Amino acid sequence: MNDRQAAAVTETEAQRAWARVRCNLRESAGARLFEQWLKPMELIEDGDPESIRLGLPSAFMTNWVRNHYADRLLLEFRALLPDVRGVSIETRIAAPVAIKLVAETPAPVAAVAAAPAPAPLAVAAPLRPAADRPPLDPRFTFDRFVVDAANRVAFNAARMLAEPGVPRFSPLFLHSGTGQGKTHLMHAIGHAFLAAHPDATVLCMSAERFMFDFVAAMRARDTHSFKQRLRGADLLLIDDLQFIAGKDATQEEFFHTVNEIMSAGKRLVISADRCPTALDGVEARIVSRMSVGLVADIKAPDLTLRRTILDRKLADLPEAKVPNEVLDLLAARIHANIRELEGALNRVVAYAQLTGDSIDLDFAVATLGDVLRGAQRRVTIDEIQKLVSQHFELKPLDLVSARRSRAVARPRQIAMYLAKRLTTRSLPEIGRKFGGRDHSTVIHAVRKIEELRDQDRDIDAAVRTLMRELEA
């Protein structure tokens, strides 16, 4: 069988696998979600048996599918085609620069631009063989990481490890909750290191992938190649170490790999959802090795950092018009992790594009009702009234009284505005909590404070301060 015939067979297998994957997605996602987001995906065949390329017609759809279905797609294809190493989710834009981008950002499970026809892509060969390319997300670079007190130590440590020359420490152990930026920093280290050392060997994988490849090597009785590949890396990045907890054989191999990397003076970066000493089910000797280097945690982002992240994200969507009050709402109400925050913004923008509606506060609440209800359960109207009265040196009873002087009316409007923003209570419910006022009074208060926040710095500062204190 010649190369062309072999490629044809691979393409046929990919087509069959894609048909199966589509059926599975339709079943699991439901008809409505599938029709809106997943059905427009098309398989782009280029004869590479280790890589699956899927194309979508818009950047919005690419972003949404990548955030919500990248891992699922990879697992689906691997279940059918074990040789698949990555799935690339691309925006199919016919532009000359797209060909260049394919060559420069060949990351699996990442959004890249691709030409609509496969023929021109054959001209733009990858910079290095597909098997040697680390799956680094092109979005995750140091200059796109928003630095704050919550993550400054981890950021500076990551940059230091990526610098040329003898590493000052290794390994670097990053830990935080889900979606706080660990993976971003790991990929940024990979990008910066490769920029300084283009010929270096960089391996980036999850601990689960480490386990999967090791088990596959044992079954194939070829553990030597597996060990040689990992221990030959100049920079090894292992994400989500907690997933090998309790896996004795995998931990044994991981321990020896870590030893070899450290003994050779090479760079090693590990991440997990908790610090090394809190990793239940991970051998003490591995924990000890992790603690030898630098352990840096990333704390949950505060309101200011979340708002800054949304501004940075919005800068990547120049055609999207999102009012400040909507960004404030997302930053205030979604604080579990950054990934959910960005996903909420993507959802609002994408729904507006699909429906043709303009984005305002009501549209955002209607679009993200389930997200907002799940993200915010702590703040009550009673807490808001108490804090606002303290801030403006009033009695809590003043806010529910019939007094209409500006010294009372303005704080009352701010409290109503915060109740609308930070709770899931309806307008009539909010009105009843403020002395039995009508829902139209609440609407007027919300609109008035939105207007004043754009015009009066003191009002805007007071609202921001109150939101921070309520969240804390």
Side-chain angles (χ1 to χ4, degrees):
M1 183 182 295
N2 60 34
D3 291 343
R4 181 171 298 179
Q5 290 172 325
V9 171
T10 302
E11 290 175 3
T12 302
E13 291 175 351
Q15 289 170 352
R16 287 198 296 265
W18 176 226
R20 287 277 303 278
V21 170
R22 282 174 65 90
C23 290
N24 293 343
L25 291 176
R26 181 188 290 275
E27 232 175 80
S28 61
R32 182 178 176 185
L33 190 150
F34 180 83
E35 291 291 326
Q36 278 190 341
W37 299 103
L38 305 174
K39 185 177 179 180
M41 272 194 297
E42 296 179 0
L43 178 68
I44 305 172
E45 296 177 308
D46 57 8
D48 184 355
E50 295 186 346
S51 177
I52 297 294
R53 295 173 56 209
L54 301 174
L56 282 155
S58 75
F60 284 121
M61 300 183 82
T62 298
N63 209 18
W64 190 92
V65 172
R66 184 180 66 242
N67 287 335
H68 292 82
Y69 276 87
D71 293 339
R72 171 67 183 275
L73 286 165
L74 183 57
L75 290 173
E76 290 275 3
F77 273 105
R78 275 185 176 170
L80 300 170
L81 303 172
D83 290 338
V84 169
R85 299 174 63 87
V87 174
S88 175
I89 304 171
E90 310 173 1
T91 304
R92 306 194 69 179
I93 302 174
V97 70
I99 299 175
K100 180 180 179 181
L101 284 173
V102 170
E104 293 184 346
T105 58
V109 196
V112 295
L121 291 173
V123 179
L127 294 179
R128 57 172 70 188
D132 296 337
R133 297 198 303 269
L136 301 176
D137 193 314
R139 301 170 301 153
F140 294 164
T141 58
F142 284 127
D143 61 346
R144 293 178 61 83
F145 190 86
V146 182
V147 184
D148 187 78
N151 55 36
R152 183 170 286 112
V153 171
F155 175 81
N156 289 337
R159 293 204 69 158
M160 194 177 296
L161 187 71
E163 291 176 352
V166 178
R168 302 186 195 182
F169 53 85
S170 183
L172 170 62
F173 190 97
L174 301 171
H175 67 95
S176 74
T178 301
Q180 307 291 13
K182 301 186 300 295
T183 302
H184 188 140
L185 284 180
M186 293 184 75
H187 286 223
I189 292 170
H191 284 301
F193 186 72
L194 282 173
H197 306 281
D199 296 326
T201 301
V202 175
L203 291 181
C204 178
M205 64 176 65
S206 67
E208 188 178 28
R209 173 64 183 276
F210 179 97
M211 179 176 65
F212 177 86
D213 287 356
F214 176 59
V215 171
M218 286 197 300
R219 288 175 178 171
R221 298 182 178 181
D222 190 20
T223 56
H224 176 74
S225 297
F226 172 82
K227 294 176 181 181
Q228 192 175 39
R229 181 167 68 93
L230 265 71
R231 299 175 191 184
D234 300 299
L235 170 62
L236 178 61
L237 306 160
I238 304 289
D239 204 1
D240 291 325
L241 182 64
Q242 68 272 9
F243 286 121
I244 66 169
K247 307 295 190 300
D248 294 341
T250 301
Q251 289 192 42
E252 177 77 19
E253 179 58 32
F254 183 80
F255 173 77
H256 292 301
T257 297
V258 167
N259 266 352
E260 288 289 334
I261 293 287
M262 293 176 63
S263 299
K266 297 178 179 180
R267 289 166 170 82
L268 174 65
V269 184
I270 309 290
S271 82
D273 61 355
R274 67 207 81 164
C275 66
T277 55
L279 288 169
D280 297 329
V282 175
E283 293 180 7
R285 56 180 178 169
I286 294 179
V287 172
S288 176
R289 290 293 185 275
M290 296 301 97
S291 303
V292 166
L294 179 62
V295 178
D297 70 324
I298 303 175
K299 297 178 176 64
D302 61 14
L303 178 63
T304 302
L305 178 56
R306 294 198 299 272
R307 186 63 171 78
T308 305
I309 289 170
L310 287 175
D311 286 334
R312 175 69 63 85
K313 180 70 177 176
L314 194 61
D316 296 333
L317 307 170
E319 66 276 23
K321 305 299 180 185
V322 183
N324 285 331
E325 58 264 25
V326 172
L327 298 176
D328 289 340
L329 172 69
L330 299 183
R333 298 279 287 275
I334 302 175
H335 44 74
N337 64 64
I338 295 170
R339 193 175 296 129
E340 288 185 11
L341 183 66
E342 293 183 344
L345 178 62
N346 289 337
R347 181 171 170 180
V348 169
V349 172
Y351 272 56
Q353 185 193 43
L354 291 169
T355 61
D357 295 334
S358 59
I359 299 174
D360 57 20
L361 205 56
D362 291 336
F363 179 85
V365 171
T367 302
L368 299 172
D370 55 335
V371 176
L372 299 179
R373 282 190 294 272
Q376 183 68 31
R377 299 187 185 276
R378 298 179 303 162
V379 179
T380 66
I381 294 178
D382 290 337
E383 291 171 338
I384 291 172
Q385 290 174 336
K386 181 179 179 181
L387 186 63
V388 170
S389 61
Q390 290 175 350
H391 184 87
F392 290 100
E393 299 181 353
L394 300 171
K395 297 176 181 179
L397 288 176
D398 290 333
L399 298 181
V400 300
S401 70
R403 293 179 59 187
R404 296 190 176 185
S405 63
R406 176 166 294 187
V408 175
R410 192 69 77 220
R412 182 188 296 129
Q413 289 176 330
I414 290 175
M416 290 181 179
Y417 172 83
L418 292 172
K420 176 68 169 65
R421 289 281 303 275
L422 301 180
T423 76
T424 56
R425 296 294 190 93
S426 65
L427 295 175
E429 287 176 319
I430 295 173
R432 284 195 293 271
K433 293 288 287 185
F434 284 86
R437 286 174 165 79
D438 187 78
H439 76 280
S440 60
T441 303
V442 181
I443 294 175
H444 172 75
V446 171
R447 290 177 177 171
K448 185 64 178 177
I449 297 305
E450 287 175 353
E451 178 185 337
L452 288 174
R453 288 192 67 184
D454 291 333
Q455 303 171 358
D456 191 321
R457 291 183 179 179
D458 292 336
I459 293 290
D460 184 61
V463 170
R464 290 181 181 274
T465 299
L466 289 165
M467 289 175 69
R468 281 195 298 270
E469 293 183 17
L470 284 166
E471 183 183 60

